[in-house]
Amino acid sequence: MKAWAAVPGALALAALLSGCSTVDGPGYYAQAVRGHLQLLADAKPVNDWVSDPATPAALRERLALSQRIRSFAVTELHLPDNASYRRYADLKRRSVVWNVVATPELSLQLKQWCFPVAGCVGYRGYYAEADAQALAAQLRSAGLDVTVYGVPAYSTLGWLNWLGGDPLLNTFIHYPEGELARIVFHELAHQVVYVNDDSVFNESFASFVEQQGAQRWLAERANDAARSEYAAFDARRREFRALALRTRDRLRQVYGEAADATTAAPAATATPANADAQRAAKAQALADFRAGYTALRARWGGWAGYDGWVAQAGNASFAIQGAYEEWVPAFAALFEREGRDWRRFYDATRTLSRLPREERRAALARLN
């Protein structure tokens, strides 16, 4: 796991394929279309890979596992039964896209990019890392705090199932079994419910589905070795997440922002009187975060899975993580309210999704 928001995946291409940005023109849209069409061209049915003698045994086993997970998603979690995740592509790179996220220097409010169909999201994705880094450089020169992170998976919301759907990729196929299950469940959940202009709702919903689904998969279908491997992986993630969340909350206090500042109205610009103090407090919070990670890493025996994330951690890093966690407890409460029945839970989530934004947030807050 190389970045907080990269696993179980960001909704990277939903915005890219939805249409041209009125600000950026057709060039950005063209790279999205080219990138996704190349991905589809590289993909072929899982059964073809499995039956090919040239396919390495380890990959053959993982692909077979992926199809058992895919069937579980349909029969046990009632996620969509369609073309997605029934083909596989080796992209021969470590990420499928690279996302750029940005905030003001002294705020956790994410910069938004808006598209005609998918609405506004707090990140912008590129198929070439160099393109993402070029945009990041432009944003930094404008005084923004910027992070670039690789994404192993994304969802096209089911829009392109007629072209073969979203494929399995080399970027995540060899993840621990429980993590592979989480990615598949998360991205399929985006095909169940998606709300324009509300990334926190979308990602929190999908994050709950993946977490609950992975727990069931591991308990009911995995062997002891897979459960043990995942337990060690998830324990490190939980410790790191707790450290990152404490830092995010500390930065919110530094900037005087509410818990939902990442999606709220633009934050007030720091005044000259307090800007220097905020910069100093920000620097100390980040230094303490890195010291905390160094201690964790030592306790983990030198496991370095978060080194890249920590190296570039700043406002943007901590802001984007909020999109994946903010309402997970509310969705957990909703699931319990609906008797842990997946169909009823999805129906209740769709009902929430149709509410005006502020009413939806109030309803979620009551569930929290």
Side-chain angles (χ1 to χ4, degrees):
M1 178 171 165
K2 297 183 179 180
W4 178 277
V7 178
L11 198 59
L13 203 67
L16 304 192
L17 293 178
S18 63
C20 298
S21 163
T22 56
V23 175
D24 299 299
Y28 180 66
Y29 177 57
Q31 69 90 28
V33 172
R34 285 195 305 270
H36 190 71
L37 290 179
Q38 183 60 55
L39 181 150
L40 293 177
D42 290 340
K44 63 182 183 181
V46 166
N47 288 340
D48 290 358
W49 288 93
V50 171
S51 62
D52 186 345
T55 300
L59 175 59
R60 187 180 294 113
E61 184 278 328
R62 298 302 288 184
L63 290 173
L65 171 63
S66 76
Q67 297 311 282
R68 296 195 296 273
I69 290 171
R70 185 67 180 85
S71 296
F72 184 89
V74 174
T75 60
E76 303 303 318
L77 307 182
H78 301 288
L79 289 165
D81 185 3
N82 55 36
S84 289
Y85 306 110
R86 303 190 189 280
R87 298 189 304 152
Y88 171 75
D90 184 351
L91 304 180
K92 305 190 186 313
R93 60 180 188 261
R94 68 182 186 277
S95 299
V96 58
V97 292
W98 284 264
N99 277 358
V100 182
V101 293
T103 67
E105 178 194 8
L106 299 173
S107 172
L108 292 182
Q109 185 205 348
L110 287 167
K111 176 178 173 60
Q112 299 288 302
W113 283 277
C114 298
F115 301 85
V117 176
C120 298
V121 293
Y123 49 81
R124 179 171 159 123
Y126 289 90
Y127 281 90
E129 184 177 10
D131 291 341
Q133 294 292 354
L135 174 63
Q138 293 176 20
L139 296 171
R140 289 189 185 104
S141 69
L144 297 180
D145 185 309
V146 185
T147 293
V148 177
Y149 62 93
V151 176
Y154 62 69
S155 173
T156 56
L157 307 180
W159 297 342
L160 297 182
N161 279 318
W162 60 280
L163 281 178
D166 300 326
L168 298 156
L169 300 171
N170 66 294
T171 53
F172 62 84
I173 194 66
H174 291 291
Y175 280 1
E177 182 172 327
E179 196 67 9
L180 176 60
R182 284 172 67 124
I183 289 176
V184 172
F185 301 156
H186 182 105
E187 303 304 345
L188 286 172
H190 282 311
Q191 298 188 22
V192 175
V193 180
Y194 179 82
V195 182
N196 284 2
D197 303 334
D198 199 339
S199 294
V200 176
F201 180 89
N202 297 327
E203 298 298 347
S204 295
F205 164 70
S207 292
F208 170 75
V209 173
E210 58 146 287
Q211 291 169 18
Q212 186 69 27
Q215 287 175 15
R216 281 196 55 186
W217 170 266
L218 289 165
E220 299 173 14
R221 304 297 172 90
N223 59 31
D224 288 343
R227 283 191 285 268
S228 177
E229 176 190 34
Y230 183 75
F233 180 93
D234 195 47
R236 290 190 293 260
R237 171 171 44 205
R238 289 175 183 275
E239 287 190 292
F240 180 76
R241 180 176 292 169
L243 173 64
L245 288 175
R246 289 196 298 271
T247 305
R248 185 188 66 177
D249 290 343
R250 184 172 169 183
L251 289 171
R252 282 174 172 167
Q253 293 177 355
V254 168
Y255 307 138
E257 294 181 329
D260 61 352
T262 56
T263 57
T269 302
T271 63
N274 66 15
D276 287 345
Q278 288 183 329
R279 289 188 185 98
K282 172 186 177 181
Q284 187 60 56
L286 294 178
D288 290 346
F289 166 71
R290 292 189 170 93
Y293 175 66
T294 298
L296 284 179
R297 197 174 183 277
R299 186 146 51 80
W300 295 338
W303 187 80
Y306 296 101
D307 281 10
W309 199 98
V310 172
Q312 64 170 337
N315 284 349
S317 309
F318 295 103
I320 193 65
Q321 75 185 95
Y324 287 80
E325 296 295 324
E326 199 77 47
W327 296 118
V328 169
F331 283 111
L334 183 63
F335 187 63
E336 295 296 331
R337 193 192 77 182
E338 298 302 325
R340 303 178 67 83
D341 182 290
W342 286 102
R343 290 189 179 94
R344 286 173 51 187
F345 170 68
Y346 296 146
D347 286 343
T349 301
R350 292 187 188 98
T351 298
L352 284 173
S353 74
R354 290 190 286 268
L355 294 174
R357 180 186 180 87
E358 292 309 313
E359 291 183 30
R360 182 166 60 246
R361 295 180 69 82
L364 288 166
R366 289 194 294 270
L367 286 164
N368 249 343

